Amino acid sequence: MSKAFMSKLPLPQPYKVVSRDDNALKTWQLVNFWYDFVVKEADSKRLDRLLIMAPHIRLGLKYLSARIVKEYKDAGSPQQKENPDLVGAFCSVQLACQEVQKNDLFMRGSAGSISSFTIALDAAHAMFGRLFPHHASAFELPRDQTVTDLTELRVCSQFYENLDRYNRFARQQHLEEHLRVEPMLLTNKVKRLAGEITHLEARLDKGRKLDQLDDDNEEAKPQGKRARETAVQPAGSAKEPEPVRPEKGRKQGQSTHKRPENVQPEQSAQAKIAIKRTLEFDASTSTILKLKDQDAKVVSRGAGVTTLKDFAELVSGGWLSDAVIDPYLALLCEQTNRQPGNVPVSRGSPEWHAWPSWLYLKVSDEAELPRLWPPQGFPEAKFAETHHHLFPMHLDENHWGLAHLSWGGAQWSLDWYSGISGYMQRFLDKWAGIERYLKRAWGFRCDQTLTIDEPEQPRQGNASDCGVFVLCEARCLMEGWPIDTFGQGDMKFMRRRICFELELDRSAS
Amino acid sequence: MSDREQSPGGAANPEEQPKTEHLNIKVTDNNNEVFFKIKRTTQLSKLMNAFCERQGKTMQNVRFLFDGARVNPTDSPDSLEMDDGDTLEVHQEQVGGA
């Protein structure tokens, strides 16, 4: 059931590459968020979903790589190495490589399989060039040099491992022309890097032990840290101009222990930060929400503002606010109305219209609310020519339901959807006001009595998903799918999906 | 709307009544009414913040409506084509789950 639902959902719209100052970080997080989701799905052995997600990933990667190239390849200053965000983002692209590969192994032989991997690698490559400008090109395998920075080593090694995987994959698929680097060279490189990492880690461990002894014997900790920091700087700056020198440094490090040990604990701390950062990126759902202050405006559709707080509730499984319900319904309507063949736009009225969730609050005084009709973009719209009206209803201050008023060709009928049964009467109480308002203000006419029905529908299994149910119901109705296309099991997915779509909508506008 | 119908000369001389620079806006949440005098070009966020502060509410938890449509903090009386004496309505955020 849910598989069918997933496969029916249209692909999200492409990511628009916007100007550089438009918070590149957020783009990263969002794509990461997407991957994060895929990885979790993969863990839960829901392969059917993973398969459905494959085109999404591919699309995401495509735009991601375009983004990276724009952001980092063409950009100016090469001081990105210190930027932990970049390291984190890079690692995520690596992760994406693996995920794509996993994916494609599942869907053996699919046409896009190798190309998506290529795209991911190209993205990683562009990042690589920015992170480590002294490696001329990742694909050309730079001449041997020893790096003392553990983060850099790890990232390099991850990259080459992926490249290696890619090669194997290409050969498996008999696509030799796609091989990137001479496979033997690559395998050697991977091995050597792994060796270097182990070596460096061992030395760091040793260094740490010595360090602890130092602390016990001589200085108080904070002083020691500061001393180390000052020691790092000259060493680091001397290292960069000539790439040959680190090799000497390493040899010295093996013979005389004192100086490198002062340097490396600091670097290991950096590496730790970078790794931690990567982890955070992977668990990006929460990161998105923590980064900015909760009041920040995220979505602006029509005259609605969705704040990060609303998003936080959305993805974390909380209650939905009108700031999510209203813009998302408006978005769905707009998409549906735009679909060719779906709307006789020439008629001047949209096929679907979602009324704001506070409508019932305002109709009690029977005042005309001029701005609520006609809908934006349809100045000539007539109420009766819009055949589907959606009314999100907020009941008892804790429940969301959806009323669907539709023209069946001969008469209007009203269907009530709610994740929890038993709200029908409370809905009808409020509906009376709305109906009166529609009749007076917009000429709504139903000559016979209105058929009101509560059709068979999925019910929620908890006390928090009713808002998501409303949005899923709306989608099913608009797409013409049976209402039981979704179920409780899809809620986690749909919460993320809704968040994603709202965010896409924002970045595209 | 009715104003326009009452003055048929308006079309001939549209500049007859130049728009005043300042507007009086009423903000009400059905219990309290607060009047603000603001410039036509001032962002309404200023007014919203002031109202929330005075009523001890947070901006996140309230919605401002004008003519039944939600108001953005970046809107101004000009962008919403507000007139002197218009009302902004305030109501609580609606959340639901159960």
Side-chain angles (χ1 to χ4, degrees):
Chain A
M1 191 159 81
S2 50
K3 185 181 172 184
F5 184 52
M6 300 292 171
S7 60
K8 277 173 176 171
L9 292 171
L11 278 176
Q13 294 300 304
Y15 232 100
K16 206 174 176 186
V17 179
V18 265
S19 66
R20 198 158 352 130
D21 52 296
D22 179 64
N23 217 338
L25 197 63
K26 257 197 101 224
T27 315
W28 279 116
Q29 287 164 342
L30 213 88
V31 179
N32 273 306
F33 172 45
W34 209 227
Y35 292 137
D36 174 47
F37 166 70
V38 175
V39 174
K40 282 198 181 125
E41 289 297 309
D43 288 347
S44 66
K45 305 280 183 268
R46 295 294 303 267
L47 295 187
D48 51 340
R49 291 194 186 193
L50 201 59
L51 287 180
I52 293 156
M53 294 300 295
H56 297 237
I57 303 171
R58 208 165 288 142
L59 201 78
L61 277 174
K62 198 170 148 203
Y63 289 94
L64 181 62
S65 61
R67 178 88 196 202
I68 296 162
V69 171
K70 193 172 155 58
E71 292 288 333
Y72 302 107
K73 213 178 175 185
D74 308 337
S77 61
Q79 29 78 354
Q80 309 285 359
K81 204 180 134 190
E82 292 86 47
N83 185 345
D85 292 340
L86 266 182
V87 178
F90 182 73
C91 294
S92 304
V93 177
Q94 302 279 348
L95 190 78
C97 286
Q98 294 174 20
E99 284 315 310
V100 170
Q101 191 210 11
K102 257 196 231 165
N103 247 343
D104 287 337
L105 288 180
F106 291 137
M107 28 189 341
R108 237 172 264 281
S110 81
S113 53
I114 194 91
S115 70
S116 54
F117 207 169
T118 315
I119 289 167
L121 266 181
D122 283 341
H125 184 204
M127 294 291 295
F128 194 90
R130 294 299 299 164
L131 279 169
F132 312 116
H134 49 282
H135 294 219
S137 158
F139 288 141
E140 280 163 24
L141 285 191
R143 73 203 125 95
D144 292 333
Q145 47 184 279
T146 314
V147 211
T148 44
D149 184 329
L150 195 58
T151 321
E152 184 173 342
L153 269 181
R154 280 193 179 128
V155 173
C156 282
S157 128
Q158 220 183 1
F159 179 76
Y160 287 117
E161 271 173 30
N162 270 328
L163 210 53
D164 196 30
R165 260 192 218 122
Y166 173 82
N167 270 345
R168 266 183 280 149
F169 181 59
R171 258 190 289 180
Q172 220 177 31
Q173 307 264 321
H174 305 290
L175 294 165
E176 265 80 10
E177 71 274 18
H178 284 282
L179 287 180
R180 277 308 172 100
V181 206
E182 221 283 286
M184 282 297 286
L185 270 179
L186 191 64
T187 317
N188 285 342
K189 179 91 187 168
V190 171
K191 272 185 201 157
R192 201 175 51 241
L193 274 172
E196 266 173 35
I197 290 178
T198 338
H199 183 72
L200 198 63
E201 274 172 345
R203 278 201 304 161
L204 285 179
D205 272 350
K206 225 181 195 176
R208 220 170 287 134
K209 274 173 204 157
L210 284 176
D211 202 40
Q212 277 170 2
L213 284 178
D214 278 357
D215 287 343
D216 290 344
N217 293 343
E218 294 162 24
E219 303 158 309
K221 268 182 190 174
Q223 280 174 341
K225 264 186 192 162
R226 236 173 276 142
R228 243 174 276 135
E229 261 167 25
T230 47
V232 174
Q233 277 175 351
S237 58
K239 199 172 63 184
E240 297 219 336
E242 10 170 8
V244 199
R245 227 184 125 172
E247 190 130 17
K248 281 184 199 163
R250 186 184 158 219
K251 277 175 192 161
Q252 280 171 5
Q254 281 171 332
S255 51
T256 60
H257 277 282
K258 255 188 176 172
R259 204 164 165 247
E261 267 145 31
N262 275 347
V263 175
Q264 277 150 16
E266 190 63 33
Q267 281 177 342
S268 86
Q270 273 178 10
K272 260 188 208 155
I273 291 170
I275 291 164
K276 197 173 154 240
R277 200 69 202 203
T278 315
L279 289 177
E280 276 173 14
F281 264 87
D282 292 344
S284 47
T285 315
S286 48
T287 331
I288 292 188
L289 305 162
K290 273 177 202 154
L291 259 177
K292 276 199 185 167
D293 75 306
Q294 299 266 295
D295 284 327
K297 269 180 287 173
V298 178
V299 171
S300 234
R301 162 162 287 274
V305 177
T306 312
T307 63
L308 277 172
K309 182 197 130 214
D310 300 313
F311 267 146
E313 289 294 329
L314 175 59
V315 289
S316 65
W319 287 19
L320 263 57
S321 79
D322 51 352
V324 171
I325 302 267
D326 287 324
Y328 190 72
L329 284 179
L331 175 66
L332 283 182
C333 283
E334 195 190 297
Q335 282 172 357
T336 314
N337 288 334
R338 244 191 346 235
Q339 275 168 25
N342 206 357
V343 212
V345 177
S346 57
R347 204 180 57 190
S349 304
E351 187 69 7
W352 287 86
H353 181 62
W355 292 78
S357 56
W358 57 77
L359 179 65
Y360 72 90
L361 284 171
K362 296 289 139 202
V363 294
S364 48
D365 54 8
E366 294 174 26
E368 189 172 333
L369 303 169
R371 281 162 62 94
L372 285 182
W373 187 270
Q376 257 186 339
F378 294 92
E380 302 297 315
K382 295 195 180 76
F383 183 88
E385 287 182 0
T386 292
H387 290 162
H388 299 275
H389 295 266
L390 292 176
F391 301 89
M393 301 292 291
H394 189 237
L395 302 174
D396 284 3
E397 303 195 338
N398 61 16
H399 183 68
W400 285 107
L402 183 71
H404 176 213
L405 180 68
S406 60
W407 176 253
Q411 61 170 22
W412 291 97
S413 56
L414 182 67
D415 290 325
W416 170 243
Y417 297 98
S418 158
I420 296 174
S421 58
Y423 275 89
M424 186 72 165
Q425 193 50 50
R426 272 162 283 188
F427 158 65
L428 287 177
D429 293 346
K430 285 190 168 167
W431 174 255
I434 293 181
E435 191 180 318
R436 197 170 53 233
Y437 158 77
L438 292 177
K439 280 177 174 165
R440 283 181 188 220
W442 310 118
F444 168 60
R445 286 175 57 197
C446 48
D447 298 331
Q448 291 106 16
T449 36
L450 193 62
T451 333
I452 301 176
D453 190 22
E454 185 171 6
E456 274 297 303
Q457 54 192 280
R459 301 292 187 184
Q460 67 195 78
N462 59 18
S464 55
D465 283 335
C466 68
V468 195
F469 264 67
V470 161
L471 300 178
C472 288
E473 283 151 0
R475 192 188 270 282
C476 287
L477 290 171
M478 282 187 214
E479 304 276 359
W481 302 338
I483 196 72
D484 62 354
T485 313
F486 73 97
Q488 179 66 45
D490 299 313
M491 288 305 110
K492 215 176 146 197
F493 174 91
M494 284 312 295
R495 280 175 181 275
R496 285 157 171 253
R497 164 98 193 188
I498 290 162
C499 178
F500 191 75
E501 281 180 85
L502 283 173
E503 170 61 22
L504 272 181
D505 182 48
R506 183 199 68 90
S507 61
S509 61
Chain B
M1 258 199 280
S2 55
D3 288 45
R4 230 173 273 159
E5 285 156 12
Q6 279 169 5
S7 58
N13 190 3
E15 307 298 313
E16 196 178 19
Q17 287 176 316
K19 285 184 173 176
T20 46
E21 204 186 335
H22 283 88
L23 287 177
N24 288 300
I25 306 264
K26 184 168 92 173
V27 183
T28 172
D29 62 358
N30 291 332
N31 297 322
N32 307 292
E33 286 184 358
V34 183
F35 289 87
F36 292 90
K37 192 169 188 177
I38 62 167
K39 276 190 193 163
R40 296 200 143 267
T41 48
T42 309
Q43 290 199 348
L44 288 171
S45 57
K46 216 170 173 180
L47 184 151
M48 295 174 173
N49 279 324
F51 180 83
C52 289
E53 230 165 80
R54 199 175 296 188
Q55 303 293 329
K57 292 177 173 168
T58 51
M59 279 281 276
Q60 282 178 9
N61 298 333
V62 294
R63 309 282 186 252
F64 288 84
L65 301 183
F66 174 62
D67 268 4
R70 189 159 163 202
V71 175
N72 252 331
T74 50
D75 284 331
S76 67
D78 256 353
S79 71
L80 295 178
E81 297 173 6
M82 293 176 96
D83 291 321
D84 195 33
D86 273 342
T87 305
L88 276 188
E89 290 169 60
V90 185
H91 71 80
Q92 282 292 313
E93 162 192 46
Q94 310 179 69
V95 286

